């Protein structure tokens, strides 16, 4: 029993079960998945659970990068939302050129995606330089891009909102004809498999944890902490570009001030919910990914109960506070002391 | 020259960064006068910067205090919006009086300070996470209190809002040839008072000095017999209390309640504090610097606007560029200091 309790996946799993149980009691139709036809006439699966999987994909992808950044630098990147705006804007700019209503795409989608990856990784690298070389706290260093990001995104496209009519572009955020499961789920799964392979076959995981736990001793052991911290930010940049592709593809357009709004909060929350220490060090990737879907489940549940989207942050904030209070070391110590006392007393009574 | 450089070396971190800030502000303002024409020469231009930013000055003072003590609070913008909305709803829908609305503002600020301070100081949770949640809570609550933005019609409030304090002798002649007095709003007086009081507290009181001690080095502060937890707690109380006052001053300036009010105010407050020479790592900073930080931030925005780059995105990019510049300066200055200490 104590083994399960100590396992990191225990925390997000418990949250997941509690939320699912709540939904089961409140309204069992939450679990209904139906096969229907979407507007393009393709057979698609729909239902609240599919919405969670679909919309949680970007969050899961971001959580991967955020976990690495958190582990290595002991801080979080709060510019991911703004960076998604930049990457999405670049993507559209490359696809459309200066024409805002193109009939045909100027470049293949793959090429445009690669370019937006490069741009997002460059911005990640910028954050990384500030954090790793200039030793600025990650949250404050990324504050720069947080303030400027959406402005830069608007500037890239001259503040115009290109709309892509090519149906192929909408596959990434919607459905591929003939496949009833939304594409973002596959993209997220691919990213998760990729990062699992990378963590399994390279030393990336070990090195990031070493740097996060103790920077100077990792340097004395021959690691290069500056490079590793920088690398995690570049990887987060890649995750941002993938998330941006999905986000932009969903709309076939972009709205600079609204796209991926407040997603940084959700991404950080996913990492925290995964039981990872926000002060860096050890991490568990699977727990973070599950955490991301739990957050999305929470959002969908709140939406289902007609909570307006503007009021959503208030509820989430309460969840965050409860979460951090219960995972705070001080509280945990107190609780375990209390539990010991209680069990000792009950043993006494039994005796 | 060598004497000057010697003096430069002997400066404390606080005064070194303060000097840089004040120099930058004056250079920028003189540059604006030279290149942008006479608009900046009018005292009223300067007073307008003050009028528009009285709330930001107060918020930044609180932010600096909490940053000096080694924390951060990004909930101030949300608290400002929440206060404007609550006061607006109270004044208009409930027909309340102005004094009670002030008490509401301060009460909300104090409540925020108590909760956040307790979580940060006594439960040892990262201040960034706590105040991030605080920010989202405040923004969400604002829309729960009332969704639609509206202007306050309450008569005594509007009278207070339109009160202008005339600064004698600094008026100017307008285009029609009529002499117009230079004026400031009530908020500016409150802001200047807050700057003065906070300066005194940080400089001469035991509490103020312990902020520096705790922010500089927690371990040695503990060894000195300072109650570290209580000090951190107090820094959050002061910050949120000032957010309450700043929120009311903001409300007094705009005279309306809306969920989108003070969007990004926390970022501006942090940027002003950093430009004003407050170190993120804690232990270094000065309220006078923060005051000049706000002024610099706004002056550069005015320059950008009057240079014809008035598209919305330029403001964001300039603030970010300035923040970046000052962060790098801080980091370089500190690295150099460390090097010279080692020698």
């Amino acid at each position: 029993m104590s083994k399960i309790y100590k396992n990191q996946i225990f925390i997000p799993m418990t949250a997941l079960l509690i939320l699912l149980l709540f939904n089961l009691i409140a309204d069992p139709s939450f679990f209904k998945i139906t096969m229907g036809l979407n507007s393009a006439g393709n057979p698609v699966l729909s239902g609240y659970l599919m919405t969670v999987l679909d919309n949680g994909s970007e969050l899961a992808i971001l959580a991967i990068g955020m976990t690495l950044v958190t582990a290595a630098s002991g801080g979080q990147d709060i510019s991911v939302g703004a960076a998604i705006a930049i990457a999405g804007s670049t993507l559209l700019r490359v696809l459309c050129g200066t024409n805002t209503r193109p009939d045909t795409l100027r470049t293949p989608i793959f090429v445009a995606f690669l370019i937006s990856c490069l741009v997002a990784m460059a911005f990640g690298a910028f954050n990384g330089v500030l954090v790793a070389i200039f030793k600025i706290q990650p949250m404050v260093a990324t504050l720069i891009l947080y303030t400027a990001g959406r402005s830069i995104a608007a500037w890239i496209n001259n503040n115009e909102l290109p709309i892509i009519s090519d149906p192929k572009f909408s596959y990434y955020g919607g459905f591929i004809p003939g496949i009833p499961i939304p594409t973002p789920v596959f993209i997220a799964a691919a990213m998760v498999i990729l990062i699992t392979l990378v963590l399994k076959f390279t030393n990336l995981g070990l090195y990031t944890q070493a740097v996060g736990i103790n920077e100077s001793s990792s340097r004395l052991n021959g690691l290069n902490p500056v490079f590793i911290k920088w690398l995690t930010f570049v990887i987060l940049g890649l995750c941002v570009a993938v998330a941006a592709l999905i986000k932009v593809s969903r709309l076939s357009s972009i709205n600079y001030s609204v796209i991926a709004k407040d997603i940084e909060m959700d991404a950080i929350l996913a990492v925290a919910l995964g039981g990872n220490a926000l002060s860096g060090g050890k991490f568990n990737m699977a727990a973070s990914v599950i955490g991301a879907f739990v957050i999305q489940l929470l959002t969908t549940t709140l939406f289902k109960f007609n909570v307006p989207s503007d009021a959503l942050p208030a509820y989430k904030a309460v969840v965050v506070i409860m979460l951090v209070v219960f995972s705070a070391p001080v509280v945990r110590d107190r609780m375990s002391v209390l539990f010991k006392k209680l069990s000792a007393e009950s043993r006494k009574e039994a005796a | 020259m060598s004497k000057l450089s010697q003096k430069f070396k002997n400066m404390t971190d606080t005064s070194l960064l303060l000097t840089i800030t004040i120099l930058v502000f004056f250079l920028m303002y003189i540059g604006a006068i030279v290149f942008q024409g006479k608009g900046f020469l009018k005292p009223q231009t300067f007073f307008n910067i003050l009028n528009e930013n009285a709330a930001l000055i107060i918020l930044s003072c609180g932010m600096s205090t909490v940053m000096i003590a080694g924390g951060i609070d990004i909930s101030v913008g949300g608290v400002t919006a929440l206060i404007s909305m609550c006061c607006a709803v109270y004044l208009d829908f409930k027909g309340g009086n102005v004094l009670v609305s002030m008490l509401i503002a301060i009460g909300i600020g104090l409540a925020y300070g108590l909760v956040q301070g307790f979580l940060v100081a006594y439960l040892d949770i990262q201040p960034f996470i706590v105040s991030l949640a605080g920010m989202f809570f405040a923004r969400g609550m604002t829309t729960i209190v009332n969704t639609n933005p509206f202007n306050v019609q309450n008569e005594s409030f509007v009278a207070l809002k339109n009160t202008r304090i005339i600064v004698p002798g600094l008026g100017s002649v307008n285009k029609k040839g009529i002499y117009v007095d230079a004026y400031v709003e009530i908020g500016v007086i409150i802001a200047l008072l807050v700057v003065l009081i906070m300066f005194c507290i940080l400089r001469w009181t035991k509490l103020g000095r312990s902020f520096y001690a705790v922010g500089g080095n927690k371990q040695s502060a503990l060894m000195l017999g300072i109650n570290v937890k209580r000090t951190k707690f107090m820094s959050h109380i002061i910050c949120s209390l000032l957010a309450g006052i700043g929120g009311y001053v903001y409300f007094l300036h705009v005279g309306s309640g809306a969920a989108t009010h003070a969007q990004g105010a926390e970022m501006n407050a942090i940027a002003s504090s950093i430009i004003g020479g407050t170190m993120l790592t804690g232990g270094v900073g000065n309220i006078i610097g923060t005051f000049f930080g706000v002024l610099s931030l706004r002056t550069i925005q005015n320059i950008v606007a009057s240079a014809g780059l008035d598209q919305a995105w330029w403001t964001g990019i300039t603030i970010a560029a300035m923040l970046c510049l000052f962060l790098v300066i801080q980091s370089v200055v500190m690295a150099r200091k460390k090097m010279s200490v080692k020698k």
Side-chain angles (χ1 to χ4, degrees):
Chain A
M1 183 62 202
S2 67
K3 216 177 182 184
I4 301 171
Y5 179 72
K6 271 182 190 150
N7 195 331
Q8 220 184 329
I9 295 193
F10 176 77
I11 305 169
M13 274 309 203
T14 318
L16 188 69
L17 285 179
I18 291 173
L19 268 175
L20 286 177
L21 207 65
F22 173 75
N23 274 310
L24 189 67
I25 295 165
D27 186 3
S29 74
F30 189 85
F31 293 93
K32 213 165 77 182
I33 293 177
T34 49
M35 193 78 156
L37 293 179
N38 67 357
S39 52
N42 299 316
V44 292
L45 291 172
S46 60
Y48 286 109
L49 283 184
M50 289 317 284
T51 317
V52 172
L53 278 182
D54 187 6
N55 290 330
S57 307
E58 296 104 305
L59 207 53
I61 293 168
L62 286 178
I64 293 172
M66 193 66 88
T67 310
L68 287 176
V69 165
T70 304
S73 65
Q76 286 76 37
D77 185 338
I78 58 165
S79 70
V80 284
I84 284 179
I86 295 176
S89 187
T90 316
L91 191 69
L92 288 180
R93 172 82 196 191
V94 176
L95 284 176
C96 302
T98 46
N99 185 358
T100 54
R101 301 278 184 281
D103 297 324
T104 52
L105 299 178
R106 255 186 10 152
T107 42
I109 294 169
F110 184 66
V111 175
F113 173 62
L114 277 188
I115 293 174
S116 88
C117 276
L118 284 181
V119 170
M121 280 157 85
F123 277 102
F126 169 75
N127 281 337
V129 166
L130 288 179
V131 171
I133 296 174
F134 288 104
K135 308 247 180 292
I136 301 168
Q137 283 174 19
M139 281 169 187
V140 181
T142 51
L143 190 68
I144 295 172
L145 206 55
Y146 178 93
T147 356
R150 290 175 194 280
S151 305
I152 294 173
W155 176 59
I156 288 174
N157 259 319
N158 230 341
N159 214 7
E160 285 179 28
L161 311 172
I163 296 173
I164 290 177
S165 47
D166 193 336
K168 268 195 197 113
F169 185 67
S170 66
Y171 289 171
Y172 300 94
F175 295 89
I176 297 173
I179 300 173
I181 297 169
T183 325
V185 179
F186 291 114
I187 299 177
M191 287 297 284
V192 170
I193 292 170
L194 184 71
I195 195 71
T196 316
L197 291 179
V198 167
L199 289 178
K200 193 158 176 93
F201 292 108
T202 67
N203 285 333
L204 180 74
L206 181 67
Y207 287 178
T208 38
Q209 297 188 31
V211 170
I213 291 167
N214 191 331
E215 195 180 332
S216 21
S217 60
S218 72
R219 200 183 56 248
L220 293 177
N221 276 309
L223 298 183
N224 185 348
V226 172
F227 175 72
I228 288 170
K229 274 191 196 172
W230 181 81
L231 188 66
T232 57
F233 275 92
V234 176
I235 293 174
L236 180 58
L238 185 67
C239 296
V240 161
V242 177
L245 175 70
I246 299 175
K247 278 272 181 209
V248 173
S249 167
R250 276 187 207 282
L251 293 175
S252 287
S253 180
I254 193 167
N255 184 340
Y256 306 110
S257 53
V258 177
I259 185 174
K261 196 164 172 272
D262 300 341
I263 207 170
E264 47 274 344
M265 170 81 164
D266 283 352
I268 296 171
L269 197 51
V271 176
L273 195 57
N276 301 297
L278 289 176
S279 48
K282 289 201 160 191
F283 68 85
N284 185 333
M285 195 57 85
S288 289
V289 173
I290 296 172
F293 284 109
V294 173
I295 302 295
Q296 189 59 44
L297 183 61
L298 177 67
T299 313
T300 312
T301 310
L302 288 174
F303 269 133
K304 186 169 170 288
F305 287 98
N306 290 328
V307 173
S309 64
D310 287 336
L312 214 57
Y315 294 91
K316 276 192 197 163
V318 173
V319 177
V320 183
I321 288 295
M322 268 164 34
L323 203 70
V324 287
V325 165
F326 282 119
S327 61
V330 183
V331 180
R332 276 195 170 187
D333 290 349
R334 288 261 171 89
M335 295 269 267
S336 65
V337 169
L338 198 73
F339 272 128
K340 263 180 200 162
K341 253 188 197 168
L342 281 178
S343 61
E345 268 171 24
S346 63
R347 230 175 275 155
K348 253 184 215 166
E349 274 168 22
Chain B
M1 195 62 210
S2 64
K3 228 180 187 177
L4 198 73
S5 70
Q6 193 60 43
K7 212 173 176 186
F8 195 66
K9 259 184 197 162
N10 288 340
M11 265 178 163
T12 60
D13 300 343
T14 306
S15 49
L16 176 66
L17 291 171
L18 178 66
T19 321
I20 294 176
T21 310
I22 294 179
L23 263 180
V24 165
F25 171 69
F26 278 108
L27 282 179
M28 218 151 60
Y29 209 83
I30 292 167
I33 291 170
V34 172
F35 293 111
Q36 300 292 331
K38 299 239 170 75
F40 281 93
L41 211 50
K42 275 191 203 161
Q44 188 57 49
T45 311
F46 180 73
F47 287 136
N48 277 343
I49 295 181
L50 282 182
N51 284 340
E52 277 157 29
N53 295 296
L56 185 58
I57 291 170
I58 300 175
L59 294 183
S60 304
C61 284
M63 186 68 79
S64 297
T65 313
V66 87
M67 273 164 75
I68 286 169
I72 199 162
D73 184 347
I74 59 168
S75 69
V76 291
V79 173
T80 302
L82 182 60
I83 286 170
S84 333
M85 189 53 101
C86 287
C87 290
V89 166
Y90 172 72
L91 284 174
D92 256 27
F93 297 170
K94 308 267 188 283
N97 72 17
V98 177
L99 260 178
V100 179
S101 73
M102 283 178 192
L103 286 182
I104 290 179
I106 290 174
I108 292 175
L110 204 60
Y112 249 85
L114 283 170
V115 174
Q116 292 192 348
F118 176 74
L119 291 177
V120 170
Y122 291 101
L123 296 189
D124 221 5
I125 304 170
Q126 281 192 11
F128 199 98
I129 299 296
V130 170
S131 55
L132 191 72
M135 169 171 101
F136 279 88
F137 184 75
R139 290 265 174 223
M141 274 314 279
T142 314
T143 52
I144 291 173
V145 171
N146 192 9
T147 321
N148 301 321
F150 66 98
N151 283 326
V152 175
Q153 312 288 342
N154 190 308
E155 277 167 21
S156 47
F157 175 77
V158 173
L160 188 68
K161 173 176 158 24
N162 290 335
T163 309
R164 290 179 170 176
I165 295 153
I166 289 165
V167 183
L170 286 174
S172 52
V173 178
N174 71 3
K175 277 177 194 155
K176 287 176 190 159
I178 304 163
Y179 182 83
V180 181
D181 278 316
Y183 68 90
V184 290
E185 289 172 8
I186 296 177
V188 177
I189 308 294
I190 301 176
L192 293 179
L193 269 178
V194 165
V195 169
L196 196 70
I197 292 171
M198 285 315 295
F199 178 76
C200 294
I201 288 182
L202 286 179
R203 190 117 216 199
W204 288 301
T205 66
K206 195 182 155 198
L207 184 68
R209 298 322 291 176
S210 52
F211 286 151
Y212 284 93
V214 169
N217 192 334
K218 231 188 273 178
Q219 231 62 72
S220 19
L222 198 66
M223 301 286 180
L224 282 171
I226 293 170
N227 188 339
V228 173
K229 284 183 178 173
R230 207 184 67 103
T231 311
K232 272 190 177 177
F233 183 65
M234 285 310 289
S235 76
H236 277 272
I237 293 270
I238 287 182
C239 180
S240 294
L241 200 61
L242 287 183
I245 299 173
Y248 198 80
V249 168
Y250 183 90
F251 178 53
L252 207 56
H253 180 70
V254 294
S256 65
T260 49
H261 269 347
Q263 199 96 54
E266 57 279 341
M267 301 306 157
N268 284 338
I270 295 174
S272 311
S273 295
I274 290 171
I275 292 169
T278 309
M279 289 281 288
L280 283 162
T281 42
V284 178
N286 193 319
I287 292 295
I288 303 294
T290 305
F291 179 64
F292 278 101
V294 176
L295 294 184
S296 309
L297 198 69
R298 286 303 147 161
T299 311
I300 201 157
Q301 277 181 20
N302 276 12
I303 293 174
V304 168
S306 65
L309 303 170
D310 51 354
Q311 288 100 330
W313 63 73
W314 281 110
T315 332
I317 294 178
T318 27
I319 293 185
M322 216 162 140
L323 189 63
C324 182
L325 181 74
F326 274 86
L327 279 173
V328 171
I329 289 180
Q330 275 192 5
S331 144
V332 170
V333 165
M334 287 305 121
R336 282 215 157 167
K337 278 250 168 184
K338 257 182 207 161
M339 293 278 274
S340 64
V341 167
K342 267 182 194 164
K343 270 175 196 171

